[in-house]
């Protein structure tokens, strides 16, 4: 399965993946998923929001155990974030069949669409729509860098966008959702464990900072006469770093747009996107408030106008405690495997679904912690341990 997925959407220049929602690379990933489902004799379907499902047993029976993740990527992402959960899901099913496991609940494998939000700027669009965490009106307003809206992109990819929106009937069939994911930090590496169980996802959000000044000639405009938004943006980036350190949080300006974007032109606009996350809501509020306050002071000092808009926000997600305990109990039967419980600063479809269905996550060790980069990695041994743990969990859950 890895060998087939590896070349899809891979940039030869960076070695990273560019699998954006509703593009050709996304279509290739989706074709692969369908092929895997059909090769195993699973019932394949695409829901109204473009998420792909593969079923063993009849989902209409309800109380289904579902596993899976996503196949799309961030710009120049790694091979594991997302695909590891989907590949492991199919591999775990193969393992269960090999064991001759008897499952009394329907088993589903899912590929959620547009998890990373690389194209339309909002993460987890497929699961948000399904869970009703993104309204149809909001979805219609999502636009990519070329001005293409989400419905237009879906249509161009051969999907009917008419039916997008909440899908409570589908969610009602799911008794438990377990997402396996490569760890996006070094907790497991530091503790020396192959596999972990998620406790919670930190609250996180994205804010857009627009610093507006005045375009002018870089050679002839006296420094004193400038309304240059770039220095105040730069100072804000430094403030974000400082405030995050103070609060034990993280804050990142990872995307910037400059107008007119000329080497010899003072910018008229610097637009920067802040991504910030913290272990609890109060810390996150403290960090973002402090960054915005600093940004306003810098902007005022440079005669620059500043607007700050929150583009998305996801509150803290505590995964279902009963399901988490059940996973821990199932995995404790393997005395070779110690499975710590850990929090994460990364968002996931499992977090979006957690308000609607009992949800849990398994993490597989990432020896460097690097993610959202071509250097993202997990060893084959650890991936196999992840598949085996997932198979144990699915078997344990599907017998109860
Ligand atoms: Zn992911």
């Amino acid at each position: 399965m890895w060998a087939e997925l590896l070349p899809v959407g891979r940039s030869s220049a960076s070695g990273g993946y560019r699998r954006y929602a509703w593009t050709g690379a996304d279509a290739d990933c989706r074709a692969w998923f369908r092929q895997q489902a059909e090769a195993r004799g699973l019932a394949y379907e695409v829901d109204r929001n473009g998420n792909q499902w593969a079923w063993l047993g009849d989902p209409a029976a309800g109380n289904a155990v579902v596993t899976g993740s996503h196949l799309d990527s961030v710009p120049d992402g790694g091979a594991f974030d997302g695909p590891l959960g989907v590949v492991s899901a199919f591999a775990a099913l193969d393992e269960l069949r090999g064991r001759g496991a008897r499952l009394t609940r329907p088993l589903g494998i899912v590929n959620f669409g547009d998890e990373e939000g690389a194209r339309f700027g909002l993460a987890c669009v497929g699961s948000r729509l399904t869970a009703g965490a993104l309204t149809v009106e909001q979805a219609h307003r999502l636009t990519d860098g070329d001005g293409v809206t989400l419905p237009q992109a879906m249509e161009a990819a051969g999907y009917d966008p008419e039916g997008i929106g909440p899908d409570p009937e589908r969610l009602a069939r799911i008794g438990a959702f377990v997402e396996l994911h490569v760890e996006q930090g070094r907790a497991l590496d530091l503790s020396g464990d192959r596999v972990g169980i998620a406790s919670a996802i930190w609250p996180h959000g994205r804010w857009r900072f627009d610093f507006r000044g005045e375009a002018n000639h870089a050679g002839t405009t006296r420094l004193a006469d400038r309304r240059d938004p770039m220095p105040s943006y730069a100072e804000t980036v430094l403030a974000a770093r400082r405030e995050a350190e103070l609060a034990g949080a993280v804050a990142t300006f990872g995307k910037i747009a400059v107008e007119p974007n000329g080497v010899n032109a003072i910018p008229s606009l610097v637009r920067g996107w802040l991504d910030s996350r913290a272990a609890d809501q109060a810390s996150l509020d403290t960090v973002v408030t402090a960054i915005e306050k600093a940004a306003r002071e810098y902007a005022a000092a440079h005669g620059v106008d500043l607007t700050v808009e929150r583009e998305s926000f996801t509150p803290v997600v505590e995964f279902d405690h009963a399901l988490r305990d059940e996973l821990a109990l199932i995995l404790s039967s393997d005395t070779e495997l110690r499975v710590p419980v850990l929090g994460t600063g990364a968002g996931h479809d499992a977090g979006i679904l957690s308000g609607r269905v009992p949800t849990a996550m398994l993490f597989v060790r990432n020896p460097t912690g690097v993610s959202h980069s071509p250097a993202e990695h997990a060893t084959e041994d650890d991936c196999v341990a992840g598949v085996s743990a997932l198979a144990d969990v699915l078997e344990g859950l599907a017998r109860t």
Side-chain angles (χ1 to χ4, degrees):
M1 287 188 274
W2 275 130
E4 284 171 18
L5 271 180
L6 276 176
V8 179
R10 189 166 183 269
S11 156
S12 53
S14 69
Y17 289 94
R18 299 174 182 175
R19 296 166 175 164
Y20 310 144
W22 310 116
T23 62
D26 190 43
D28 290 348
C29 289
R30 288 167 173 275
W32 173 88
F33 181 94
R34 180 174 190 162
Q35 214 174 53
Q36 296 302 319
E38 290 175 350
R40 289 170 175 79
L42 305 176
Y44 169 80
E45 58 174 343
V46 181
D47 70 23
R48 293 189 274 110
N49 296 306
N51 306 306
Q52 294 179 294
W53 302 79
W55 290 103
L56 178 68
D58 181 8
N63 201 24
V65 177
V66 176
T67 186
S69 191
H70 62 95
L71 293 173
D72 70 320
S73 80
V74 295
D76 288 324
F80 295 80
D81 177 357
L84 182 63
V86 182
V87 168
S88 297
F90 285 116
L93 174 64
D94 296 344
E95 162 91 12
L96 289 178
R97 283 178 161 165
R99 293 179 191 174
R102 298 173 63 88
L103 310 180
T104 59
R105 295 164 71 174
L107 180 66
I109 297 176
V110 62
N111 167 33
F112 281 111
D114 199 5
E115 194 273 348
E116 297 287 5
R119 183 167 177 189
F120 297 101
L122 178 68
C124 302
V125 167
S127 57
R128 274 184 211 270
L129 277 168
T130 302
L134 173 69
T135 67
V136 178
E137 294 71 37
Q138 287 167 332
H140 277 261
R141 283 200 298 271
L142 291 175
T143 308
D144 73 7
D146 296 324
V148 178
T149 66
L150 173 67
Q152 287 168 342
M154 283 181 79
E155 200 155 16
Y159 292 79
D160 179 7
E162 275 303 305
I164 62 169
D167 199 346
E169 299 84 9
R170 180 168 295 277
L171 292 179
R173 297 168 167 182
I174 304 173
F177 175 59
V178 181
E179 179 171 1
L180 178 145
H181 205 280
V182 66
E183 197 199 348
Q184 294 170 293
R186 289 189 58 217
L188 291 171
D189 182 55
L190 293 171
S191 69
D193 297 302
R194 294 179 185 279
V195 178
I197 299 175
S199 57
I201 298 178
W202 290 11
H204 66 278
R206 296 178 177 186
W207 290 261
R208 198 184 74 224
F209 285 59
D210 284 355
F211 296 84
R212 288 179 194 278
E214 188 178 39
N216 212 328
H217 195 293
T220 59
T221 316
R222 296 189 321 144
L223 292 177
D225 293 338
R226 297 181 180 204
R227 290 178 56 226
D228 181 353
M230 188 61 86
S232 39
Y233 171 72
E235 287 169 318
T236 302
V237 174
L238 298 177
R241 169 76 191 214
R242 203 167 54 235
E243 296 298 338
E245 269 173 20
L246 282 172
V250 288
T252 309
F253 277 96
K255 179 176 171 179
I256 182 175
V258 180
E259 290 175 13
N261 209 21
V263 177
N264 57 357
I266 297 163
S268 58
L269 169 73
V270 175
R271 174 171 286 164
W273 281 265
L274 168 69
D275 175 306
S276 188
R277 312 168 192 222
D280 58 78
Q281 183 68 53
S283 307
L284 181 58
D285 289 344
T286 302
V287 171
V288 176
T289 304
I291 296 170
E292 184 174 342
K293 181 169 177 282
R296 294 207 180 279
E297 285 167 13
Y298 301 138
H302 288 278
V304 167
D305 296 324
L306 171 66
T307 55
V308 179
E309 195 182 326
R310 193 176 81 176
E311 290 196 331
S312 73
F313 182 74
T314 312
V316 65
V317 172
E318 280 279 344
F319 288 111
D320 189 88
H321 288 196
L323 183 60
R324 192 171 91 194
D325 292 348
E326 211 172 338
L327 258 62
L329 186 67
I330 291 167
L331 294 176
S332 69
S333 65
D334 181 351
T335 49
E336 301 282 288
L337 195 72
R338 204 177 47 144
V339 187
V341 175
L342 46 124
T344 176
H348 299 285
D349 294 309
I352 302 296
L353 291 199
S354 70
R356 308 291 162 139
V357 296
T359 299
M361 288 191 77
L362 291 174
F363 291 123
V364 171
R365 175 162 60 185
N366 176 340
T368 60
V370 171
S371 187
H372 287 186
S373 147
E376 182 180 83
H377 185 61
T379 68
E380 191 170 327
D381 281 354
D382 288 354
C383 291
V384 169
V387 169
S388 165
L390 181 62
D392 289 348
V393 162
L394 297 176
E395 186 179 8
L397 292 176
R399 268 200 312 232
T400 53

